[in-house]
Amino acid sequence: MSETAKSRAAALPHLRRGRLAKGDPIPLPLTMAAIFHAPGDATGFDQYGRFSNPTWDAVEHMLAHLEDAPCVAFPSGMAAISAVFFGLLKAGDRILLPSDGYHTTRALADRFLKSFGIACDVRPTSSFLDGGFDGYRLAFVETPANPGLDICDIAAVAEAVHKAGAVLVVDNTTMTPFGQRPLDLGADIVIAADTKAPNGHSDVLFGHVASRDADIISRVTDWRETSGAIPGPFEAWLVHRGLETLEVRFDRMCASAEMIARRLKNHRAISGLRFPGLESDPSHNLARAQMERFGFLISFVLASEDKAEDFINNCALMQAATSFGGVHTSAERRSKRGDAVPPGFVRLSVGCEPVEELWQAIEASLDAIGG
């Protein structure tokens, strides 16, 4: 971890300190309110729960500290993506999405943006630079891509996108601000599903948009207020609590994933292993250049659908579940979610369990299904 990241992590649990009066609670209070006392001219004060909430303010302050940019919170990652699309785009615009990224982003464009006159093209993450960006209003990348973990060069894409007069959005859900910093690499907007590692306990949906462009933040905030796509105060409170331990959880998850990936590489049941931290991974050199950590996600292919299901379901220290980034290790056969991957493709999210015990459970389940 860089010294800047260490400093950012150290300050994170103490952000409220300067605002506390004697006798105030140190943990963030939960403000459950739809209305606020607002006599006379209440400009600058909380007035109505669709406009603002003190618990939102606190979690957005933490996220802004991590991103080093203003942040706007949303009730899910897809709500954050929707706010960017509907807040910035208009009829006649054309956008570019990754063909191998999270499939719901493409579904949103196909099912809804097209009907508003917004065209959409797709391109693989690993060759996202190919073909240029002329004619696009917005380019959207997810790197590492979910679930295949291909990577693109964010700085190079940003330079090319800006030369074409477009806006670059980076989905940084798989990495968090402790693992990768797209805004520092030239991206205009970062979106993330804080449902994953930032909250970390798989008990809340949440998302955010970050940007250093004041107009973008204004448009996204206006979309949230007008559309009503607002996070609940309790959900914001849970994410605030989760963020306080993000650095320590992320550190353990990444370290464990790197150890487990190296061992998976030598197992006879595994093919198509992808993890950016492996020297043999086709994206390793780029990952070393633009990522501060290699992440906690590993993908690989087992011989069949049945073997993949047996591996996941019979591993004593693994949850069969969608999503990722929780304290518990989880895995999913992604073809059943609509991704264009082989039937035996597995996305593994490494959790916070002691790594040797976790590996023993994974190895035992792999050995049981055979090569």
Side-chain angles (χ1 to χ4, degrees):
M1 178 184 288
S2 68
E3 291 302 316
T4 301
K6 290 178 182 177
S7 176
R8 191 177 290 115
L12 189 65
H14 301 283
L15 293 181
R16 282 173 32 82
R17 185 173 182 268
R19 305 180 182 184
L20 296 177
K22 187 178 293 187
D24 282 349
I26 291 175
L28 176 68
L30 171 59
T31 302
M32 298 289 289
I35 58 174
F36 300 84
H37 184 59
D41 182 1
T43 302
F45 292 87
D46 293 314
Q47 299 179 45
Y48 185 53
R50 183 161 51 81
F51 304 155
S52 62
N53 178 280
T55 316
W56 297 356
D57 294 344
V59 76
E60 287 176 344
H61 185 47
M62 291 188 87
L63 291 166
H65 171 78
L66 288 175
E67 298 281 13
D68 193 23
C71 288
V72 185
F74 288 90
S76 69
M78 284 309 304
I81 292 172
S82 297
V84 169
F85 286 171
F86 290 105
L88 271 62
L89 301 174
K90 64 182 185 305
D93 285 340
R94 178 176 292 274
I95 67 172
L96 182 63
L97 301 179
S99 59
D100 53 337
Y102 184 47
H103 64 88
T104 308
T105 306
R106 297 190 300 277
L108 175 65
D110 185 59
R111 298 176 192 173
F112 298 100
L113 294 186
K114 283 185 178 179
S115 64
F116 290 106
I118 299 167
C120 175
D121 298 322
V122 297
R123 193 180 289 174
T125 297
S126 62
S127 56
F128 206 75
L129 277 165
D130 295 352
F133 303 97
D134 289 343
Y136 290 106
R137 165 72 176 118
L138 180 150
F140 184 108
V141 297
E142 180 182 13
T143 178
N146 173 26
L149 304 184
D150 264 329
I151 291 175
C152 69
D153 186 331
I154 296 174
V157 170
E159 182 180 1
V161 166
H162 294 155
K163 187 176 181 180
V167 171
L168 176 62
V169 183
V170 176
D171 184 337
N172 201 37
T173 297
T174 60
M175 290 308 300
T176 87
F178 283 123
Q180 182 173 259
R181 306 192 59 76
L183 294 177
D184 294 348
L185 295 169
D188 300 288
I189 301 170
V190 163
I191 66 95
D194 303 306
T195 307
K196 319 301 187 189
N199 176 58
H201 293 82
S202 307
D203 54 7
V204 62
L205 296 175
F206 212 77
H208 77 268
V209 173
S211 178
R212 294 168 184 163
D213 185 310
D215 181 62
I216 289 172
I217 290 295
S218 177
R219 287 170 176 260
V220 168
T221 303
D222 187 45
W223 167 261
R224 179 179 72 175
E225 181 179 306
T226 305
S227 69
I230 58 173
F234 183 62
E235 287 76 11
W237 182 83
L238 285 173
V239 172
H240 185 280
R241 185 174 64 170
L243 285 168
E244 290 181 325
T245 61
L246 172 59
E247 186 271 330
V248 69
R249 288 184 287 103
F250 187 70
D251 179 65
R252 181 160 187 167
M253 292 155 70
C254 291
S256 295
E258 187 163 352
M259 182 181 297
I260 288 170
R262 294 186 184 283
R263 295 178 181 182
L264 286 172
K265 182 180 177 181
N266 299 318
H267 199 283
R268 65 186 185 281
I270 299 290
S271 64
L273 179 68
R274 292 301 304 272
F275 178 72
L278 294 175
E279 291 81 359
S280 58
D281 191 274
S283 297
H284 179 68
N285 289 337
L286 177 56
R288 288 183 61 192
Q290 76 177 16
M291 293 159 64
E292 296 195 10
R293 299 298 297 269
F294 295 120
F296 52 83
L297 292 177
I298 304 170
S299 70
F300 52 86
V301 179
L302 297 176
S304 67
E305 174 182 328
D306 289 343
K307 288 195 173 187
E309 290 288 351
D310 287 345
F311 161 67
I312 296 169
N313 296 332
N314 296 328
C315 182
L317 296 182
M318 185 181 297
Q319 299 292 334
T322 193
S323 196
F324 52 82
V327 294
H328 47 267
T329 292
S330 63
E332 184 172 40
R333 192 177 59 78
R334 286 300 296 178
S335 64
K336 70 181 182 181
R337 297 293 175 185
D339 289 315
V341 293
F345 180 98
V346 173
R347 184 189 67 196
L348 172 65
S349 173
V350 176
C352 292
E353 302 90 347
V355 67
E356 289 297 340
E357 284 74 10
L358 177 58
W359 167 248
Q360 290 169 18
I362 290 173
E363 184 179 39
S365 193
L366 286 172
D367 288 346
I369 65 171

